[in-house]
Amino acid sequence: MPPLLITRRTLIAGAASGLAMPALAQNLSATRTMRGGANNYLPNAPLVDKIGGGGFWMTGTVRRAGDGAPLANQRIQVWAHTTEGHERDPQSHGATLSDADGVFRLEMPQIVPAFGQAHGHLAYDSGEFETVFLRPVMAKPTDTSLNVGFVLTPA
């Protein structure tokens, strides 16, 4: 049998034929709660298809710490100061679930600056993993989406 020769061509051909599998991230660190992330948090916000009239998309992923595996059916709560209400108002809160690929998305009204910064609030608070509160700041107040990632550690 001739020796195995791995060239760029054979490596690409193997990947294209499905012989290569993508590696999951190893030793992926857990997301840490951000300062101010829990401000105006309301426990048990309802699962919703959309908050208010929409127009802004809060999106992201939910993965397990360590191996980075996607986590399905994880509840993510979202709230913010928007064109339709303050972040302390119950109607400005809603929750959604991550899909089979660990992806979540929830439409909400446009986020507007509060205390000088346009920012959202997100929480993982279901109990299977450690609770995490995020307060990501938008690059520009005119952005119409914000994408965040949760990497969770079992509770």
Side-chain angles (χ1 to χ4, degrees):
M1 181 171 181
L4 179 61
L5 179 61
I6 297 178
T7 65
R8 185 171 157 221
R9 180 174 287 160
T10 59
L11 184 61
I12 292 170
S17 69
L19 296 176
M21 289 181 50
L24 292 175
Q26 297 298 312
N27 299 318
L28 190 61
S29 297
T31 302
R32 296 173 66 174
T33 288
M34 297 173 90
R35 186 173 166 223
N39 291 354
N40 298 303
Y41 169 69
L42 296 175
N44 303 315
L47 286 173
V48 296
D49 293 326
K50 183 175 173 180
I51 298 173
F56 183 93
W57 285 97
M58 189 69 77
T59 63
T61 57
V62 186
R63 298 182 293 160
R64 182 174 52 223
D67 64 7
L71 296 172
N73 298 313
Q74 299 304 310
R75 185 178 182 281
I76 302 296
Q77 184 180 155
V78 175
W79 69 100
H81 187 86
T82 71
T83 55
E84 296 180 15
H86 297 279
E87 61 187 45
R88 66 182 174 272
D89 299 335
Q91 73 270 16
S92 295
H93 291 247
T96 188
L97 297 175
S98 59
D99 67 15
D101 296 320
V103 174
F104 68 88
R105 54 184 282 148
L106 186 61
E107 190 177 13
M108 62 190 299
Q110 178 66 40
I111 293 177
V112 295
F115 305 107
Q117 297 176 319
H119 64 277
H121 291 269
L122 300 98
Y124 167 81
D125 61 353
S126 297
E128 183 181 351
F129 295 89
E130 291 181 13
T131 298
V132 176
F133 292 100
L134 300 180
R135 184 189 176 273
V137 175
M138 294 163 44
K140 301 179 303 211
T142 55
D143 288 347
T144 57
S145 66
L146 189 55
N147 187 282
V148 300
F150 284 87
V151 180
L152 304 176
T153 300

